[in-house]
Amino acid sequence: LDELTGDTTGSTMERAAFTDAFNFERRIGLSAQYKRGALLAQAGIFTDDVGSLSNSNDGPSGGDEDNSFSLDGRIVFAPKLGDTQLHFGGSAHWRKLNRIAEAGVRYRQRPYVHSTNTRLIDTKAIDADREFSYGAELAAVRGRWHGVVEGHWLRANRLDGPNPSFWGGYAEIGYFLTDDSRAYENGIFGNTKPSKPVGKGGIGAVQLNLRYDYLDLNSHDIRGGTQNGYIAALVWTPVQYLRFNINYAYLDYTGATATADGRRDYGVQVIGTRFELDF
C-alpha cells in the first residue's frame, strides 16, 4: 500500500523503511488487474528497471547485467461500512535473481530521507539466488481521521548458509485540522482535494500524521541492524495538486553501521521538507 501510493499523495515525505530495504522499485513488465465492487485483484510479471537492463550497465563490453524476473500479486477488499472506508490487502512477490546473484543481493536503508546516500543498517552482500516476500495491509478512513498498519516479510534463498528472513512494518494515524478527508480509490490513497482551497475562502487542507516505522535486518549470522523510527509529518495542501510537507524523524538504531568511536547503537534526528507539485 505504501509503495503503490504516489510520491505526492503519501502521508509522509518518504515511504516505509522496508520498501527501499527490500528493493521495491519500478520495473519493466506486464501487469493486469480485475475490479468488481469492493474486490481488487492485481498480478504481473516483471524484469528489472530500465537502467539495469541497459548494455552499458556493467561497462562498455558488458551486456544486460540484471536479467532477474519476478512474479507479483496483490488482492484488496475495500468495503464501505457506513461513513468508514475500510481496506484489507495482501501481496506476494517471488523473484529469481539470476546474474544479480553473482555479486550478491543486498538489503539496506537510509536514515529516512533520500537526500543522503548513507545507509546505517545494511546486510552487505548475501549469496542468494532468489527471494520470496509477502505483506499484509489494513487501513481505514473516516472523516478527518485515517489509520494504517502494514507489514512485509522477506526470505532469501541463500547458497552458502541458512536462509535469512527479514521484516519491516509501520503503523500510523492521521488527522486533518481542516474539514477534509484523505482520498482513497482503487486500493491506494489518492490526492486530497481541499474543501476550502486558498483563493476560494479557505486556507486549504492541513493534515498531521504520526508514524512508527520498524525494520529488522538481523537473521541467523547476518547482523544488518534494526531501526525503530518515530515520525511526525505536517502536510499543507493550499490547492489540489500542490503540497508543502515538513517531517521530523527520530531513528533509534541497534547494531547499525559503526560510528567513528565504534558505537553501533545510537539515535539519529532528521528534519526534512519537500514542496510537491503533482501533474
Side-chain angles (χ1 to χ4, degrees), residues 1 4 39-43 72-78 87-93 133-139 149-153 184 187:
L1 175 59
L4 294 176
L39 181 66
L40 173 67
Q42 301 168 312
D72 300 83
R74 180 174 181 249
I75 188 166
V76 172
F77 180 57
H87 171 102
F88 304 92
S91 64
H93 161 92
S133 67
Y134 58 92
E137 313 161 15
L138 174 63
V149 177
E150 182 175 7
H152 207 89
W153 293 259
Y184 174 90

PDB file of all heavy atoms in Angstrom, residues 1 4 39-43 72-78 87-93 133-139 149-153 184 187:
ATOM      1  N   LEU A   1       0.823  -1.199   0.000  1.00  0.00           N
ATOM      2  CA  LEU A   1       0.000   0.000   0.000  1.00  0.00           C
ATOM      3  C   LEU A   1       0.862   1.257   0.000  1.00  0.00           C
ATOM      4  O   LEU A   1       0.647   2.175  -0.789  1.00  0.00           O
ATOM      5  CB  LEU A   1      -0.932  -0.016   1.220  1.00  0.00           C
ATOM      6  CG  LEU A   1      -1.790   1.227   1.436  1.00  0.00           C
ATOM      7  CD1 LEU A   1      -2.697   1.476   0.236  1.00  0.00           C
ATOM      8  CD2 LEU A   1      -2.614   1.070   2.706  1.00  0.00           C
ATOM      9  N   LEU A   4       2.745   1.648  -3.428  1.00  0.00           N
ATOM     10  CA  LEU A   4       1.912   1.987  -4.572  1.00  0.00           C
ATOM     11  C   LEU A   4       1.296   3.377  -4.468  1.00  0.00           C
ATOM     12  O   LEU A   4       0.954   3.982  -5.482  1.00  0.00           O
ATOM     13  CB  LEU A   4       0.809   0.944  -4.752  1.00  0.00           C
ATOM     14  CG  LEU A   4       1.290  -0.458  -5.143  1.00  0.00           C
ATOM     15  CD1 LEU A   4       0.114  -1.423  -5.197  1.00  0.00           C
ATOM     16  CD2 LEU A   4       2.008  -0.434  -6.483  1.00  0.00           C
ATOM     17  N   LEU A  39     -13.846  -5.630  -4.414  1.00  0.00           N
ATOM     18  CA  LEU A  39     -12.722  -6.538  -4.614  1.00  0.00           C
ATOM     19  C   LEU A  39     -11.816  -6.049  -5.738  1.00  0.00           C
ATOM     20  O   LEU A  39     -12.277  -5.680  -6.818  1.00  0.00           O
ATOM     21  CB  LEU A  39     -13.232  -7.936  -4.945  1.00  0.00           C
ATOM     22  CG  LEU A  39     -12.165  -9.018  -5.151  1.00  0.00           C
ATOM     23  CD1 LEU A  39     -11.416  -9.286  -3.845  1.00  0.00           C
ATOM     24  CD2 LEU A  39     -12.798 -10.299  -5.689  1.00  0.00           C
ATOM     25  N   LEU A  40     -10.507  -6.071  -5.487  1.00  0.00           N
ATOM     26  CA  LEU A  40      -9.500  -5.697  -6.482  1.00  0.00           C
ATOM     27  C   LEU A  40      -8.400  -6.749  -6.472  1.00  0.00           C
ATOM     28  O   LEU A  40      -7.844  -7.064  -5.424  1.00  0.00           O
ATOM     29  CB  LEU A  40      -8.907  -4.326  -6.155  1.00  0.00           C
ATOM     30  CG  LEU A  40      -7.716  -3.851  -6.999  1.00  0.00           C
ATOM     31  CD1 LEU A  40      -8.145  -3.587  -8.438  1.00  0.00           C
ATOM     32  CD2 LEU A  40      -7.068  -2.613  -6.391  1.00  0.00           C
ATOM     33  N   ALA A  41      -8.091  -7.295  -7.662  1.00  0.00           N
ATOM     34  CA  ALA A  41      -7.010  -8.275  -7.787  1.00  0.00           C
ATOM     35  C   ALA A  41      -6.021  -7.770  -8.825  1.00  0.00           C
ATOM     36  O   ALA A  41      -6.415  -7.311  -9.903  1.00  0.00           O
ATOM     37  CB  ALA A  41      -7.559  -9.635  -8.187  1.00  0.00           C
ATOM     38  N   GLN A  42      -4.730  -7.865  -8.512  1.00  0.00           N
ATOM     39  CA  GLN A  42      -3.671  -7.380  -9.391  1.00  0.00           C
ATOM     40  C   GLN A  42      -2.577  -8.440  -9.494  1.00  0.00           C
ATOM     41  O   GLN A  42      -2.257  -9.101  -8.506  1.00  0.00           O
ATOM     42  CB  GLN A  42      -3.064  -6.077  -8.844  1.00  0.00           C
ATOM     43  CG  GLN A  42      -4.069  -4.950  -8.679  1.00  0.00           C
ATOM     44  CD  GLN A  42      -3.515  -3.786  -7.878  1.00  0.00           C
ATOM     45  OE1 GLN A  42      -2.935  -3.977  -6.807  1.00  0.00           O
ATOM     46  NE2 GLN A  42      -3.702  -2.571  -8.365  1.00  0.00           N
ATOM     47  N   ALA A  43      -1.990  -8.595 -10.690  1.00  0.00           N
ATOM     48  CA  ALA A  43      -0.909  -9.561 -10.881  1.00  0.00           C
ATOM     49  C   ALA A  43      -0.015  -9.086 -12.011  1.00  0.00           C
ATOM     50  O   ALA A  43      -0.447  -8.339 -12.900  1.00  0.00           O
ATOM     51  CB  ALA A  43      -1.466 -10.941 -11.194  1.00  0.00           C
ATOM     52  N   ASP A  72       4.455 -11.267  -9.259  1.00  0.00           N
ATOM     53  CA  ASP A  72       3.899 -10.484  -8.163  1.00  0.00           C
ATOM     54  C   ASP A  72       2.375 -10.513  -8.202  1.00  0.00           C
ATOM     55  O   ASP A  72       1.766 -10.517  -9.280  1.00  0.00           O
ATOM     56  CB  ASP A  72       4.372  -9.033  -8.265  1.00  0.00           C
ATOM     57  CG  ASP A  72       5.885  -8.914  -8.191  1.00  0.00           C
ATOM     58  OD1 ASP A  72       6.547  -9.099  -9.219  1.00  0.00           O
ATOM     59  OD2 ASP A  72       6.387  -8.650  -7.091  1.00  0.00           O
ATOM     60  N   GLY A  73       1.754 -10.518  -7.032  1.00  0.00           N
ATOM     61  CA  GLY A  73       0.300 -10.478  -6.965  1.00  0.00           C
ATOM     62  C   GLY A  73      -0.177  -9.728  -5.734  1.00  0.00           C
ATOM     63  O   GLY A  73       0.531  -9.664  -4.717  1.00  0.00           O
ATOM     64  N   ARG A  74      -1.361  -9.138  -5.840  1.00  0.00           N
ATOM     65  CA  ARG A  74      -1.940  -8.389  -4.726  1.00  0.00           C
ATOM     66  C   ARG A  74      -3.452  -8.487  -4.802  1.00  0.00           C
ATOM     67  O   ARG A  74      -4.027  -8.426  -5.892  1.00  0.00           O
ATOM     68  CB  ARG A  74      -1.508  -6.917  -4.784  1.00  0.00           C
ATOM     69  CG  ARG A  74      -2.041  -6.011  -3.673  1.00  0.00           C
ATOM     70  CD  ARG A  74      -1.401  -4.636  -3.783  1.00  0.00           C
ATOM     71  NE  ARG A  74      -1.850  -3.714  -2.740  1.00  0.00           N
ATOM     72  CZ  ARG A  74      -2.616  -2.647  -2.973  1.00  0.00           C
ATOM     73  NH1 ARG A  74      -3.026  -2.369  -4.208  1.00  0.00           N
ATOM     74  NH2 ARG A  74      -2.986  -1.848  -1.978  1.00  0.00           N
ATOM     75  N   ILE A  75      -4.084  -8.616  -3.658  1.00  0.00           N
ATOM     76  CA  ILE A  75      -5.537  -8.646  -3.601  1.00  0.00           C
ATOM     77  C   ILE A  75      -6.004  -7.703  -2.501  1.00  0.00           C
ATOM     78  O   ILE A  75      -5.384  -7.637  -1.418  1.00  0.00           O
ATOM     79  CB  ILE A  75      -6.058 -10.079  -3.379  1.00  0.00           C
ATOM     80  CG1 ILE A  75      -7.587 -10.111  -3.534  1.00  0.00           C
ATOM     81  CG2 ILE A  75      -5.600 -10.653  -2.047  1.00  0.00           C
ATOM     82  CD1 ILE A  75      -8.134 -11.516  -3.675  1.00  0.00           C
ATOM     83  N   VAL A  76      -7.049  -6.933  -2.782  1.00  0.00           N
ATOM     84  CA  VAL A  76      -7.574  -5.934  -1.852  1.00  0.00           C
ATOM     85  C   VAL A  76      -9.080  -6.095  -1.737  1.00  0.00           C
ATOM     86  O   VAL A  76      -9.771  -6.271  -2.744  1.00  0.00           O
ATOM     87  CB  VAL A  76      -7.235  -4.504  -2.330  1.00  0.00           C
ATOM     88  CG1 VAL A  76      -7.955  -3.463  -1.477  1.00  0.00           C
ATOM     89  CG2 VAL A  76      -5.737  -4.271  -2.299  1.00  0.00           C
ATOM     90  N   PHE A  77      -9.578  -6.027  -0.523  1.00  0.00           N
ATOM     91  CA  PHE A  77     -11.012  -5.972  -0.260  1.00  0.00           C
ATOM     92  C   PHE A  77     -11.270  -4.662   0.468  1.00  0.00           C
ATOM     93  O   PHE A  77     -10.728  -4.426   1.547  1.00  0.00           O
ATOM     94  CB  PHE A  77     -11.457  -7.166   0.585  1.00  0.00           C
ATOM     95  CG  PHE A  77     -12.929  -7.178   0.883  1.00  0.00           C
ATOM     96  CD1 PHE A  77     -13.870  -7.170  -0.141  1.00  0.00           C
ATOM     97  CD2 PHE A  77     -13.377  -7.189   2.199  1.00  0.00           C
ATOM     98  CE1 PHE A  77     -15.235  -7.182   0.135  1.00  0.00           C
ATOM     99  CE2 PHE A  77     -14.733  -7.206   2.484  1.00  0.00           C
ATOM    100  CZ  PHE A  77     -15.660  -7.205   1.442  1.00  0.00           C
ATOM    101  N   ALA A  78     -12.047  -3.781  -0.143  1.00  0.00           N
ATOM    102  CA  ALA A  78     -12.220  -2.416   0.379  1.00  0.00           C
ATOM    103  C   ALA A  78     -13.704  -2.070   0.513  1.00  0.00           C
ATOM    104  O   ALA A  78     -14.255  -1.298  -0.284  1.00  0.00           O
ATOM    105  CB  ALA A  78     -11.517  -1.416  -0.525  1.00  0.00           C
ATOM    106  N   HIS A  87      -9.996  -1.008   4.330  1.00  0.00           N
ATOM    107  CA  HIS A  87      -9.051  -1.565   3.359  1.00  0.00           C
ATOM    108  C   HIS A  87      -8.364  -2.764   3.986  1.00  0.00           C
ATOM    109  O   HIS A  87      -7.718  -2.653   5.031  1.00  0.00           O
ATOM    110  CB  HIS A  87      -8.011  -0.507   2.969  1.00  0.00           C
ATOM    111  CG  HIS A  87      -6.868  -1.038   2.152  1.00  0.00           C
ATOM    112  ND1 HIS A  87      -6.783  -0.862   0.786  1.00  0.00           N
ATOM    113  CD2 HIS A  87      -5.749  -1.743   2.506  1.00  0.00           C
ATOM    114  CE1 HIS A  87      -5.671  -1.428   0.336  1.00  0.00           C
ATOM    115  NE2 HIS A  87      -5.029  -1.971   1.364  1.00  0.00           N
ATOM    116  N   PHE A  88      -8.522  -3.922   3.338  1.00  0.00           N
ATOM    117  CA  PHE A  88      -7.823  -5.144   3.744  1.00  0.00           C
ATOM    118  C   PHE A  88      -7.055  -5.642   2.516  1.00  0.00           C
ATOM    119  O   PHE A  88      -7.655  -5.841   1.452  1.00  0.00           O
ATOM    120  CB  PHE A  88      -8.804  -6.221   4.205  1.00  0.00           C
ATOM    121  CG  PHE A  88      -9.720  -5.793   5.314  1.00  0.00           C
ATOM    122  CD1 PHE A  88     -10.962  -5.257   5.021  1.00  0.00           C
ATOM    123  CD2 PHE A  88      -9.340  -5.929   6.639  1.00  0.00           C
ATOM    124  CE1 PHE A  88     -11.820  -4.855   6.040  1.00  0.00           C
ATOM    125  CE2 PHE A  88     -10.186  -5.536   7.663  1.00  0.00           C
ATOM    126  CZ  PHE A  88     -11.431  -4.994   7.365  1.00  0.00           C
ATOM    127  N   GLY A  89      -5.759  -5.832   2.651  1.00  0.00           N
ATOM    128  CA  GLY A  89      -4.973  -6.231   1.490  1.00  0.00           C
ATOM    129  C   GLY A  89      -3.871  -7.201   1.830  1.00  0.00           C
ATOM    130  O   GLY A  89      -3.437  -7.319   2.980  1.00  0.00           O
ATOM    131  N   GLY A  90      -3.429  -7.917   0.804  1.00  0.00           N
ATOM    132  CA  GLY A  90      -2.301  -8.823   0.941  1.00  0.00           C
ATOM    133  C   GLY A  90      -1.559  -8.919  -0.382  1.00  0.00           C
ATOM    134  O   GLY A  90      -2.160  -8.763  -1.459  1.00  0.00           O
ATOM    135  N   SER A  91      -0.259  -9.140  -0.332  1.00  0.00           N
ATOM    136  CA  SER A  91       0.543  -9.228  -1.554  1.00  0.00           C
ATOM    137  C   SER A  91       1.604 -10.298  -1.393  1.00  0.00           C
ATOM    138  O   SER A  91       1.981 -10.666  -0.279  1.00  0.00           O
ATOM    139  CB  SER A  91       1.198  -7.881  -1.878  1.00  0.00           C
ATOM    140  OG  SER A  91       2.115  -7.514  -0.852  1.00  0.00           O
ATOM    141  N   ALA A  92       2.095 -10.805  -2.539  1.00  0.00           N
ATOM    142  CA  ALA A  92       3.169 -11.796  -2.548  1.00  0.00           C
ATOM    143  C   ALA A  92       4.084 -11.509  -3.722  1.00  0.00           C
ATOM    144  O   ALA A  92       3.650 -11.010  -4.765  1.00  0.00           O
ATOM    145  CB  ALA A  92       2.606 -13.209  -2.639  1.00  0.00           C
ATOM    146  N   HIS A  93       5.372 -11.833  -3.538  1.00  0.00           N
ATOM    147  CA  HIS A  93       6.403 -11.492  -4.525  1.00  0.00           C
ATOM    148  C   HIS A  93       7.436 -12.604  -4.544  1.00  0.00           C
ATOM    149  O   HIS A  93       7.962 -13.007  -3.506  1.00  0.00           O
ATOM    150  CB  HIS A  93       7.041 -10.156  -4.101  1.00  0.00           C
ATOM    151  CG  HIS A  93       8.380  -9.868  -4.693  1.00  0.00           C
ATOM    152  ND1 HIS A  93       8.553  -9.169  -5.870  1.00  0.00           N
ATOM    153  CD2 HIS A  93       9.637 -10.164  -4.259  1.00  0.00           C
ATOM    154  CE1 HIS A  93       9.855  -9.041  -6.122  1.00  0.00           C
ATOM    155  NE2 HIS A  93      10.523  -9.636  -5.167  1.00  0.00           N
ATOM    156  N   SER A 133       8.715 -12.857  -0.769  1.00  0.00           N
ATOM    157  CA  SER A 133       8.228 -11.967   0.272  1.00  0.00           C
ATOM    158  C   SER A 133       6.713 -11.865   0.185  1.00  0.00           C
ATOM    159  O   SER A 133       6.099 -12.129  -0.857  1.00  0.00           O
ATOM    160  CB  SER A 133       8.862 -10.574   0.165  1.00  0.00           C
ATOM    161  OG  SER A 133       8.429  -9.903  -1.010  1.00  0.00           O
ATOM    162  N   TYR A 134       6.118 -11.461   1.288  1.00  0.00           N
ATOM    163  CA  TYR A 134       4.664 -11.286   1.332  1.00  0.00           C
ATOM    164  C   TYR A 134       4.328 -10.197   2.347  1.00  0.00           C
ATOM    165  O   TYR A 134       5.102  -9.923   3.283  1.00  0.00           O
ATOM    166  CB  TYR A 134       3.955 -12.599   1.696  1.00  0.00           C
ATOM    167  CG  TYR A 134       4.372 -13.194   3.020  1.00  0.00           C
ATOM    168  CD1 TYR A 134       3.691 -12.905   4.201  1.00  0.00           C
ATOM    169  CD2 TYR A 134       5.478 -14.045   3.086  1.00  0.00           C
ATOM    170  CE1 TYR A 134       4.082 -13.451   5.411  1.00  0.00           C
ATOM    171  CE2 TYR A 134       5.886 -14.588   4.294  1.00  0.00           C
ATOM    172  CZ  TYR A 134       5.180 -14.291   5.453  1.00  0.00           C
ATOM    173  OH  TYR A 134       5.580 -14.826   6.650  1.00  0.00           O
ATOM    174  N   GLY A 135       3.190  -9.542   2.134  1.00  0.00           N
ATOM    175  CA  GLY A 135       2.814  -8.431   3.002  1.00  0.00           C
ATOM    176  C   GLY A 135       1.343  -8.441   3.326  1.00  0.00           C
ATOM    177  O   GLY A 135       0.522  -9.048   2.627  1.00  0.00           O
ATOM    178  N   ALA A 136       0.992  -7.750   4.395  1.00  0.00           N
ATOM    179  CA  ALA A 136      -0.399  -7.593   4.826  1.00  0.00           C
ATOM    180  C   ALA A 136      -0.682  -6.118   5.060  1.00  0.00           C
ATOM    181  O   ALA A 136       0.185  -5.380   5.563  1.00  0.00           O
ATOM    182  CB  ALA A 136      -0.658  -8.391   6.102  1.00  0.00           C
ATOM    183  N   GLU A 137      -1.887  -5.676   4.689  1.00  0.00           N
ATOM    184  CA  GLU A 137      -2.269  -4.262   4.753  1.00  0.00           C
ATOM    185  C   GLU A 137      -3.629  -4.115   5.434  1.00  0.00           C
ATOM    186  O   GLU A 137      -4.553  -4.876   5.161  1.00  0.00           O
ATOM    187  CB  GLU A 137      -2.377  -3.677   3.333  1.00  0.00           C
ATOM    188  CG  GLU A 137      -1.217  -3.999   2.416  1.00  0.00           C
ATOM    189  CD  GLU A 137      -1.577  -3.804   0.946  1.00  0.00           C
ATOM    190  OE1 GLU A 137      -2.610  -3.151   0.659  1.00  0.00           O
ATOM    191  OE2 GLU A 137      -0.837  -4.301   0.079  1.00  0.00           O
ATOM    192  N   LEU A 138      -3.742  -3.132   6.300  1.00  0.00           N
ATOM    193  CA  LEU A 138      -5.003  -2.807   6.952  1.00  0.00           C
ATOM    194  C   LEU A 138      -5.090  -1.300   7.080  1.00  0.00           C
ATOM    195  O   LEU A 138      -4.148  -0.654   7.566  1.00  0.00           O
ATOM    196  CB  LEU A 138      -5.083  -3.457   8.341  1.00  0.00           C
ATOM    197  CG  LEU A 138      -6.299  -3.102   9.213  1.00  0.00           C
ATOM    198  CD1 LEU A 138      -7.591  -3.571   8.557  1.00  0.00           C
ATOM    199  CD2 LEU A 138      -6.159  -3.708  10.606  1.00  0.00           C
ATOM    200  N   ALA A 139      -6.204  -0.711   6.623  1.00  0.00           N
ATOM    201  CA  ALA A 139      -6.347   0.742   6.684  1.00  0.00           C
ATOM    202  C   ALA A 139      -7.820   1.114   6.828  1.00  0.00           C
ATOM    203  O   ALA A 139      -8.716   0.317   6.519  1.00  0.00           O
ATOM    204  CB  ALA A 139      -5.760   1.403   5.429  1.00  0.00           C
ATOM    205  N   VAL A 149      -1.960   0.147   9.111  1.00  0.00           N
ATOM    206  CA  VAL A 149      -0.962  -0.795   9.628  1.00  0.00           C
ATOM    207  C   VAL A 149      -0.559  -1.680   8.463  1.00  0.00           C
ATOM    208  O   VAL A 149      -1.420  -2.225   7.761  1.00  0.00           O
ATOM    209  CB  VAL A 149      -1.518  -1.662  10.772  1.00  0.00           C
ATOM    210  CG1 VAL A 149      -0.468  -2.675  11.220  1.00  0.00           C
ATOM    211  CG2 VAL A 149      -1.947  -0.797  11.951  1.00  0.00           C
ATOM    212  N   GLU A 150       0.746  -1.810   8.227  1.00  0.00           N
ATOM    213  CA  GLU A 150       1.226  -2.638   7.128  1.00  0.00           C
ATOM    214  C   GLU A 150       2.523  -3.318   7.540  1.00  0.00           C
ATOM    215  O   GLU A 150       3.364  -2.713   8.208  1.00  0.00           O
ATOM    216  CB  GLU A 150       1.451  -1.786   5.871  1.00  0.00           C
ATOM    217  CG  GLU A 150       1.905  -2.588   4.668  1.00  0.00           C
ATOM    218  CD  GLU A 150       2.008  -1.756   3.395  1.00  0.00           C
ATOM    219  OE1 GLU A 150       1.852  -0.516   3.452  1.00  0.00           O
ATOM    220  OE2 GLU A 150       2.255  -2.368   2.331  1.00  0.00           O
ATOM    221  N   GLY A 151       2.688  -4.568   7.135  1.00  0.00           N
ATOM    222  CA  GLY A 151       3.914  -5.300   7.417  1.00  0.00           C
ATOM    223  C   GLY A 151       4.348  -6.105   6.216  1.00  0.00           C
ATOM    224  O   GLY A 151       3.512  -6.505   5.384  1.00  0.00           O
ATOM    225  N   HIS A 152       5.654  -6.345   6.076  1.00  0.00           N
ATOM    226  CA  HIS A 152       6.171  -7.132   4.952  1.00  0.00           C
ATOM    227  C   HIS A 152       7.319  -8.011   5.435  1.00  0.00           C
ATOM    228  O   HIS A 152       8.188  -7.557   6.185  1.00  0.00           O
ATOM    229  CB  HIS A 152       6.640  -6.216   3.823  1.00  0.00           C
ATOM    230  CG  HIS A 152       6.560  -6.853   2.480  1.00  0.00           C
ATOM    231  ND1 HIS A 152       5.433  -6.799   1.687  1.00  0.00           N
ATOM    232  CD2 HIS A 152       7.456  -7.597   1.786  1.00  0.00           C
ATOM    233  CE1 HIS A 152       5.639  -7.460   0.562  1.00  0.00           C
ATOM    234  NE2 HIS A 152       6.865  -7.951   0.606  1.00  0.00           N
ATOM    235  N   TRP A 153       7.319  -9.268   4.971  1.00  0.00           N
ATOM    236  CA  TRP A 153       8.308 -10.255   5.367  1.00  0.00           C
ATOM    237  C   TRP A 153       9.036 -10.748   4.128  1.00  0.00           C
ATOM    238  O   TRP A 153       8.406 -11.029   3.096  1.00  0.00           O
ATOM    239  CB  TRP A 153       7.641 -11.429   6.066  1.00  0.00           C
ATOM    240  CG  TRP A 153       7.031 -11.083   7.380  1.00  0.00           C
ATOM    241  CD1 TRP A 153       7.543 -11.317   8.621  1.00  0.00           C
ATOM    242  CD2 TRP A 153       5.758 -10.437   7.600  1.00  0.00           C
ATOM    243  NE1 TRP A 153       6.696 -10.854   9.597  1.00  0.00           N
ATOM    244  CE2 TRP A 153       5.580 -10.305   8.997  1.00  0.00           C
ATOM    245  CE3 TRP A 153       4.752  -9.943   6.762  1.00  0.00           C
ATOM    246  CZ2 TRP A 153       4.456  -9.708   9.554  1.00  0.00           C
ATOM    247  CZ3 TRP A 153       3.626  -9.352   7.327  1.00  0.00           C
ATOM    248  CH2 TRP A 153       3.491  -9.241   8.702  1.00  0.00           C
ATOM    249  N   TYR A 184      -9.166   8.097  -1.164  1.00  0.00           N
ATOM    250  CA  TYR A 184      -8.864   6.680  -1.340  1.00  0.00           C
ATOM    251  C   TYR A 184      -9.637   6.160  -2.542  1.00  0.00           C
ATOM    252  O   TYR A 184     -10.838   6.415  -2.684  1.00  0.00           O
ATOM    253  CB  TYR A 184      -9.262   5.885  -0.084  1.00  0.00           C
ATOM    254  CG  TYR A 184      -9.100   4.390  -0.245  1.00  0.00           C
ATOM    255  CD1 TYR A 184      -7.908   3.762   0.073  1.00  0.00           C
ATOM    256  CD2 TYR A 184     -10.155   3.614  -0.728  1.00  0.00           C
ATOM    257  CE1 TYR A 184      -7.754   2.377  -0.089  1.00  0.00           C
ATOM    258  CE2 TYR A 184     -10.014   2.243  -0.882  1.00  0.00           C
ATOM    259  CZ  TYR A 184      -8.814   1.629  -0.561  1.00  0.00           C
ATOM    260  OH  TYR A 184      -8.666   0.274  -0.723  1.00  0.00           O
ATOM    261  N   GLY A 187      -7.678   0.880  -4.307  1.00  0.00           N
ATOM    262  CA  GLY A 187      -6.697   0.175  -3.494  1.00  0.00           C
ATOM    263  C   GLY A 187      -5.514   0.973  -3.016  1.00  0.00           C
ATOM    264  O   GLY A 187      -4.588   0.407  -2.423  1.00  0.00           O
TER     265      GLY A 187
END
